[in-house]
Amino acid sequence: MRLVHFLRKHCELNKQSSQRLLASGRVRVDGNVVRDPGCRVTPYCTIALDDKALQTGTPCYLMLHKPAGVVSATQHPEHPTVLDLVPNEWHPGLHLAGRLDLNTTGLLLLTNDGLWSKQLSRPEHKVDKVYRVQTQHPIDSRYIKQFAEGIYFSFEGITTAPAELELISKHSARLTLREGRYHQVKRMFGFFDNPVVALHRERIGELTLDPSLAPGDYRSLSPAEIQCLVPTG
Ligand code: URA
């Protein structure tokens, strides 16, 4: 349903008044101000006028084992998306809480709760993100020191936050980051001209990818899992 139609129905307004209400910036969908009358809403969206909830939606939180070759997006002209892995009835309002590159595998979160995903993605929200990395060339102890000190990313003009690297074998390691910059893991190994040949996210904060989930499978998060990622106090 279009948001303008939703407002007409719920607030008993005519078309012009509901358009004016939207233009005033008083309407929020999943925590974001929406002014576009064409915006589509579903029964899963949380819709508020000022501080008054017009629809609370049914919150949904999923963990998904992302396979390689699937895009972390809701639509893509070329590749299947993670939403193609979830049956249609789950779709309304579902969006990604974080992303992984096309060929990265592992833990990905989906939700229709815009506030929850927003909290998760805030830069101040520092949770560990743990990756298993396989590289083309051998990894050595220089990497441990360099990653702990940070690496300068000239494009953004920043130095990465201290990261922990645990060597597993000559060509594989476990890397713990507390931030999520564009292609961060690949760029960090790029500092040593060492291409990442496989990347898998094992854990976000206290939440570990459920080992019973095969690539492409997903399950709902338990209330404790939802709470452990974004504590409400
Ligand atoms: N870092 C990367 O380079 N790729 C990912 O998919 C995630 C983190």
Side-chain angles (χ1 to χ4, degrees):
M1 179 191 291
R2 284 171 7 117
L3 181 56
V4 73
H5 184 63
F6 173 94
L7 291 175
R8 283 174 69 183
K9 229 176 94 190
H10 279 74
C11 305
E12 293 178 10
L13 298 171
N14 62 28
K15 191 174 172 188
Q16 255 192 346
S17 307
S18 64
Q19 278 173 340
R20 264 205 302 272
L21 185 60
L22 272 177
S24 72
R26 293 169 58 199
V27 180
R28 285 178 186 269
V29 177
D30 293 332
N32 300 310
V33 171
V34 175
R35 291 188 164 87
D36 174 11
C39 165
R40 301 229 160 236
V41 292
T42 71
Y44 294 90
C45 294
T46 299
I47 304 173
L49 172 60
D50 299 326
D51 287 333
K52 183 169 169 257
L54 301 177
Q55 175 178 285
T56 50
T58 308
C60 168
Y61 309 86
L62 303 177
M63 76 153 74
L64 181 134
H65 185 165
K66 180 190 170 300
V70 172
V71 189
S72 294
T74 46
Q75 48 189 357
H76 195 273
E78 215 180 311
H79 299 287
T81 74
V82 287
L83 280 189
D84 294 329
L85 301 168
V86 182
N88 280 338
E89 61 267 29
W90 288 90
H91 276 200
L94 270 190
H95 59 268
L96 298 155
R99 285 168 198 279
L100 292 173
D101 294 341
L102 179 66
N103 286 319
T104 303
T105 59
L107 177 59
L108 196 63
L109 300 170
L110 295 129
T111 183
N112 61 0
D113 180 345
L115 287 177
W116 187 78
S117 54
K118 213 176 193 169
Q119 300 268 38
L120 258 181
S121 61
R122 287 170 61 187
E124 316 84 79
H125 185 259
K126 300 219 180 299
V127 289
D128 291 352
K129 295 199 178 95
V130 183
Y131 295 89
R132 207 173 58 237
V133 190
Q134 231 174 299
T135 56
Q136 188 173 328
H137 308 302
I139 312 166
D140 58 48
S141 58
R142 288 175 305 143
Y143 290 59
I144 300 177
K145 186 166 178 288
Q146 190 66 53
F147 288 0
E149 283 172 3
I151 289 184
Y152 183 66
F153 282 176
S154 57
F155 184 73
E156 296 95 328
I158 56 97
T159 299
T160 56
E164 281 146 43
L165 187 74
E166 177 200 338
L167 303 183
I168 298 174
S169 69
K170 218 165 150 188
H171 289 262
S172 74
R174 184 167 284 112
L175 179 63
T176 303
L177 303 181
R178 271 171 214 95
E179 58 186 351
R181 301 191 180 276
Y182 182 65
H183 294 326
Q184 181 158 350
V185 177
K186 291 173 188 159
R187 291 164 77 197
M188 287 172 75
F189 281 88
F191 178 86
F192 291 98
D193 290 323
N194 193 352
V196 169
V197 294
L199 184 57
H200 178 83
R201 184 154 67 193
E202 298 180 327
R203 179 162 72 78
I204 301 174
E206 297 300 305
L207 186 69
T208 301
L209 178 64
D210 188 329
S212 71
L213 293 178
D217 284 353
Y218 62 92
R219 70 157 171 82
S220 294
L221 296 184
S222 69
E225 288 172 332
I226 297 163
Q227 168 78 11
C228 84
L229 285 173
V230 181
T232 51

